[in-house]
Every structure is written in C-alpha cells, then in structure tokens.
Amino acid sequence: MPGARTAWTAWAGHALRPRALPVDRPLAIRGAIGISVPLAIGLATGHPAYGAVAALGAYGAALDDSSAPYRVRALNLFWPQLASAVGLCLGRFAGGQAWAEILLMGCVALVSALISRIGPVSSLSGLVLLLASVSGLGMPTDEPWWKLPLLFFVGGVPLALMSLAGWPAQRHRAERATVAAAYRAAADLVAAPAAPADQRREARRRLTAVMDQAYDLLVVRRLRAPAPRSPVGRLVARLDALIAVLAALPSVRDAAPEVRERYAARLRALADSHGTPAPWDPPGEGPLDRALREAALDGPALRGGHLDPPPGRGPLDPPPGRDRLGPHPAPLRRLRTVLDDVLRTPATWSFAVRLSAGIAVAQAVASLSGLPKSPWLVVTVALVLRPDLGTVTARVLLRGLGTLGGVLVGAGILALVPDGWWRIPVIAVLLASLQAVGRRTYVLQCLFLTPIMILLADAMGHQGESLAGYRMLDVLIGCAIALAFGYLLWPDELPARIRRQFGALEQDLAEYGACAPAGDRNAVHIARRRAHQRIARLHEELSRARTDPRHHGSLDGWRSELAAAEDRMDQLTHAYAHHT
C-alpha cells in the first residue's frame, strides 16, 4: 500500500509540474490583437454575435499559432482553419436530430483519429475538425449554411497575417536557430561531467531531441528534399558537420573539466557566429579537433550572416548521386506510403475505435440527457482521449482542475464587467495570458481558455452566466466518460508499444554497427540518424509513461535499458570515429 501511494504521489506531482518555458511575447501580442479585431468590428457594425463567431476563428488561429518556421507556421494556420470551417458545415447536417448527431460525431471521430496519424499538421487538423463538428451542432439554423463557417475562417485572417508578416525578411531565421540550438546542446554534453551519470544522460537526451527536431524540421517535414545549394540545404550541411563532432565526443569524455569546457566554448562560439569563426586554437590532432576544424569551415553563419562557403572552400554540396539523408520520395508517393502504414497499423485502428466509441457515448449523453446544449462535454472527451496530448489520467486531473478555476474566473467576469466594449480588453488579456504561459501545463490552458469561451458564448446570446455551472458539469461528465473508455475499459497498450520500440532500436543499432566498418559515410550517416530518431521517440514514450500511475514500477527498468542502448550507440560512434 505505501508503494502504491508513492506511485500515485509521484504521478500527480509529475502531471501537475509545469514545464520551464520562456514567455513568447510576440505570440501573446498577436493573440490579443487578433481576437480583439473581430470583436470590435462586430460591436461597431451592430452585430456582436457575428463578431463573437469570427472571434472564435481568431481564438482557434491563436491556438494554432507558434514561433515555428514560417513554412510550418503557414501550414499550421491554414489547414486547421479550413478543417474548422468544414467541421462547422458538417455539424449543420444533423438537423437537430439526436440519432443523427450521435451517428455524425461517431463517424467524424473515426475519420479524425485516422487523419491524426499521418503527421503533425494532420493531427492538428483532425482534432479541430472533430471539435468544430460538435460546435456546429449548436450553431443557429436560421442562417445560411455557409455564413458562420465563413465568418469563423475569416476571423483568423488578421492573426495569420500578423504571424506571417516577417516571412519575406526573416525567411530562414527559425531554421538557423534550430541548428544553432543543436550546437549548444552538443556543447552542454561536452561540458557535462562523466559523473553523476544522470546529469550526463539528461544532456544526451536533450541533444538527441534537438537533433531529431532539427532534421525533422529541415528535411522530413518537407514535400521535397532541399536543394544542396539552397539556404536550407546549406543548413543541412552545417547540421551534418555537427554529426562528425558528435562522433568524436567520446574521445574527450574522460578529459579534464577545463579541457571539456574549452571544447564546449568552441561549440558555443560556432552556434553564435555571424561569419567565419577564428581558426581553432590550439590546433590539436584528436578526432574532436579535426571535427571542430571542419565544422568551423563548413558550419558558419548559423544565426544571421551569409550562407555561402568561406573563401577557399568549395560548395557544401554532397557528392554527386549521394544523399546524406536517404531517399526523399515524391509527395504523392510519400502520402501513399504513409496512408498505407496508417491503415495497416493495429494501434491506429485501436485508437480510432476507442475515440469513436467515447465520442458517440458523450454525444448520446449530451443529446439525450436534457442538459442545455453545449459542445463542452464532447470536446472534453476528445481532448482527454487524444494520445498525443498526454495520458488519459493526467488529462482528466488537469482538465478538471483547470476548468473549475476557469469557470469561477468566467462567472466573476460576467458579474463584474458589463457587456460590450469593456469585455474586449478582458478577453484580449485572457488570450494573451493563455499564449504566454498556457503551454507550460494543461491546467493553465484550461484556466484561461474556459472564461474566454464563456464570454464568447455570452456574446453570441447563449447566456454564459447562467450556463457557467452547466459547463463545469459537462466537463466532469466528459472526464468520467473519457476515464472509462480511454483507461478503465481498454487494455493497456503502452508496455507492448515500448517493447516494440526497443526491438526496433536493437535492429537499428545492429544495422549501424554493420555498416560502420564498411566505411560508407552515406550509409553510416543514415543508420546513425535512424538510431537517434528511435532513441528520441523512446524518450517521448517514457516521458508519457510518467503521467500514468500504472507504469511507475516499470519506468526504472525501461530507463536503464534505454541508457544501455545509448551507451552502445556511443561505443559504435566512437569506434567509427577512430576507424575513419
């Protein structure tokens, strides 16, 4: 019993602990302005309800907004907004019939689950398609079917324009920052002492995650492979130069602290450089010295500055016919391959059936219980059951606590702040606060988004003050349904999924070890990339497992196994560095 209590205490502490993320001020400012514009236009034109619908679109765009590279940002803003408009149209087709609403939401949930497995943008689009569909069930039926979806879509345009305004002048700044972050993470790993082991493993975990994110951003999440002489292609070359540095890191693992710090300082200088760095001094002859000299020549200008090779150096192109990142198929072929993998994976259909069943039950309760019509019950089930948003148990706890606080805040604002122009700055401040700190923990997200939705519902004539208590009841019922259908009545698939990931990692390491002695730099690079990617995925799985109290007894064993695999990866990399 004490052991079980300790596991639950550790789980609750981890679930409630906020992440240490900096405040993104531009994101908060864009959100505040973006939601204020449609509300002000609606009041100025005498149509506050239309302004509130458009503000819902701005609110959705704000949640999709980020500081990602502009190309990724544009996709994240456009496709989810389009999916939201389509979902609102679908919600009108039910015609207010309970059986039609239940059937529609079950089918949309199934499609949403399948779409979400394709990729990050598809996952976001599938989620908002589901949320917008249930919101469309409660939209007024006396308006043309296209008017409210169009208002919703257009409402996000001002925020999207602000978010993408810097694209022409700062097109590749985020990509350069990502590569520079990889160099800084490598510097932290070099400076980390050999003991305690946990500190070094945490630095290695951060480096693996940053490298995986950089390659995912620069190569994987692109329809076409970047041209070698393009700015992105040259950033890939700079990231490749860091691979050689990482291969040589084991050679200084046991060096004196001042020696490691000297190498770490050099890596940080490369990350911060705006032009060609000074020559490596003193000129050593070890594997890391040689790799740093190459990185200094082939990897300048990570943040600003030029992207051309320094004088006396040839282009940073890979050899003809060689692709350091493996084949990059045509877009349609990649889509067919992904769809084939998605539709053939049992885990995909398991999640799709689970989500569809939970949404159908939630919609049945919402349609047949006699509660005032609201999408909150179904929305709660959808958000809690999404596996990419965390485990069910953690989401139930965080959703309940955050919504309780948000309902109290919303009720207080409705009682104290008069309707009309006075509420616009209040909503703007709430959304700015959500954008500033909401990504740290789901509790804060719910704390700020709940009063925003209550205020917008009141502006649309849905009597937000009288319905605030019902919204809390909806959330509690939705959490109970999600807990039953996503946790208690469903088999635990996480251990089997982690075992499959470990088996795939063993195969990747075997392939890496087999191709290293052959000296094929292209094959070695691809094999190393796959192994690093698999390690990053396993770290994500174990981080997710920490939010489920059922797995706390297995976490130590999984971590030890992953640490052993990382040590083997270091050994193979060290052997290859000495071989070359």
Side-chain angles (χ1 to χ4, degrees):
M1 197 68 178
R5 188 180 300 113
T6 301
W8 279 91
T9 302
W11 161 76
H14 178 74
L16 293 171
R17 186 179 303 118
R19 293 181 294 172
L21 296 176
V23 174
D24 194 329
R25 290 184 178 84
L27 200 67
I29 294 173
R30 290 198 298 266
I33 297 175
I35 201 169
S36 300
V37 170
L39 288 172
I41 293 176
L43 286 173
T45 57
H47 297 91
Y50 289 162
V53 174
L56 278 175
Y59 167 76
L63 295 183
D64 300 333
D65 193 16
S66 68
S67 298
Y70 288 106
R71 181 187 56 84
V72 176
R73 202 183 302 183
L75 293 174
N76 285 340
L77 286 169
F78 175 75
W79 288 111
Q81 283 294 102
L82 182 61
S84 297
V86 172
L88 290 174
C89 293
L90 290 175
R92 294 286 298 272
F93 293 157
Q97 300 295 320
W99 66 269
E101 293 175 347
I102 297 169
L103 180 61
L104 174 67
M105 292 313 304
C107 293
V108 171
L110 187 69
V111 173
S112 171
L114 296 177
I115 291 176
S116 67
R117 294 303 180 112
I118 296 176
V121 177
S122 301
S123 177
L124 186 59
S125 301
L127 176 61
V128 298
L129 173 67
L130 177 58
L131 302 183
S133 297
V134 67
S135 299
L137 298 178
M139 288 292 180
T141 57
D142 55 346
E143 299 282 357
W145 66 269
W146 51 267
K147 178 179 285 187
L148 297 184
L150 181 61
L151 283 172
F152 186 96
F153 186 84
V154 173
V157 170
L159 189 144
L161 292 177
M162 287 188 292
S163 181
L164 301 175
W167 197 342
Q170 301 174 337
R171 187 175 180 184
H172 299 295
R173 187 178 71 170
E175 286 89 340
R176 282 192 288 266
T178 302
V179 178
Y183 272 78
R184 294 190 187 95
D188 293 340
L189 180 59
V190 172
D198 289 345
Q199 184 176 344
R200 184 172 184 82
R201 283 171 182 163
E202 177 61 22
R204 181 168 55 187
R205 185 198 65 77
R206 288 196 302 269
L207 173 61
T208 300
V210 172
M211 289 289 292
D212 185 65
Q213 178 185 3
Y215 273 114
D216 187 64
L217 178 64
L218 294 173
V219 180
V220 177
R221 294 179 63 180
R222 290 182 176 271
L223 294 179
R224 297 177 179 85
R229 292 179 181 270
S230 67
V232 174
R234 289 171 178 172
L235 284 173
V236 173
R238 283 143 179 78
L239 199 58
D240 287 345
L242 181 59
I243 289 290
V245 174
L246 301 183
L249 288 187
S251 64
V252 298
R253 177 188 298 176
D254 299 322
E258 59 272 14
V259 175
R260 294 199 311 273
E261 185 55 42
R262 182 165 58 92
Y263 285 116
R266 185 57 181 173
L267 281 166
R268 295 188 186 102
L270 289 174
D272 295 332
S273 62
H274 288 263
T276 304
W280 174 244
D281 185 36
E285 293 301 328
L288 185 55
D289 297 281
R290 294 194 298 270
L292 283 171
R293 280 199 296 271
E294 288 299 315
L297 291 172
D298 290 343
L302 295 177
R303 197 184 60 192
H306 61 78
L307 284 172
D308 296 323
R313 298 285 296 179
L316 299 177
D317 307 348
R322 311 278 285 199
D323 186 357
R324 294 288 301 277
L325 297 168
H328 206 91
L332 289 179
R333 184 179 177 185
R334 291 178 66 192
L335 180 60
R336 285 196 299 269
T337 302
V338 170
L339 288 176
D340 185 63
D341 290 342
V342 166
L343 297 178
R344 289 175 180 269
T345 304
T348 297
W349 286 101
S350 173
F351 165 63
V353 172
R354 182 192 316 185
L355 181 64
S356 181
I359 292 297
V361 171
Q363 187 58 54
V365 174
S367 300
L368 303 174
S369 64
L371 291 172
K373 251 191 174 178
S374 166
W376 279 44
L377 196 157
V378 181
V379 166
T380 296
V381 174
L383 293 176
V384 170
L385 286 183
R386 295 281 296 192
D388 50 345
L389 301 178
T391 58
V392 171
T393 49
R395 300 287 286 189
V396 166
L397 174 66
L398 301 178
R399 177 82 178 178
L401 293 177
T403 303
L404 175 61
V407 165
L408 296 177
V409 172
I413 293 173
L414 288 173
L416 298 175
V417 181
D419 194 9
W421 292 96
W422 289 103
R423 288 189 182 174
I424 294 180
V426 174
I427 294 175
V429 170
L430 287 172
L431 186 55
S433 302
L434 173 64
Q435 296 292 80
V437 299
R439 286 170 171 80
R440 296 182 180 181
T441 173
Y442 191 48
V443 170
L444 292 177
Q445 287 187 36
C446 295
L447 178 64
F448 290 113
L449 69 83
T450 301
I452 293 174
M453 297 305 294
I454 291 175
L455 293 173
L456 293 180
D458 187 65
M460 289 187 287
H462 293 177
Q463 299 175 343
E465 187 173 0
S466 62
L467 293 181
Y470 284 114
R471 298 296 74 82
M472 188 65 216
L473 181 60
D474 286 340
V475 169
L476 293 178
I477 295 174
C479 287
I481 293 173
L483 190 63
F485 280 86
Y487 189 78
L488 299 177
L489 302 180
W490 211 264
D492 184 13
E493 299 174 347
L494 184 62
R497 188 165 65 245
I498 289 178
R499 292 311 325 161
R500 288 194 298 269
Q501 291 277 4
F502 273 118
L505 176 58
E506 286 297 319
Q507 183 177 354
D508 291 339
L509 290 176
E511 293 177 359
Y512 179 36
C515 67
D520 187 341
R521 293 175 61 89
N522 190 52
V524 169
H525 179 86
I526 294 173
R528 185 191 295 119
R529 160 75 178 138
R530 287 175 182 157
H532 273 297
Q533 188 177 37
R534 190 78 63 182
I535 289 172
R537 297 293 182 268
L538 271 167
H539 276 298
E540 291 177 3
E541 291 283 7
L542 296 189
S543 178
R544 188 176 293 112
R546 290 185 65 185
T547 62
D548 192 330
R550 295 176 296 184
H551 303 130
H552 272 261
S554 305
L555 273 176
D556 289 340
W558 289 335
R559 287 172 182 155
S560 298
E561 188 172 353
L562 183 56
E566 289 178 319
D567 289 339
R568 184 182 170 193
M569 181 79 180
D570 283 349
Q571 293 168 4
L572 291 172
T573 302
H574 189 44
Y576 173 71
H578 278 279
H579 178 75
T580 55

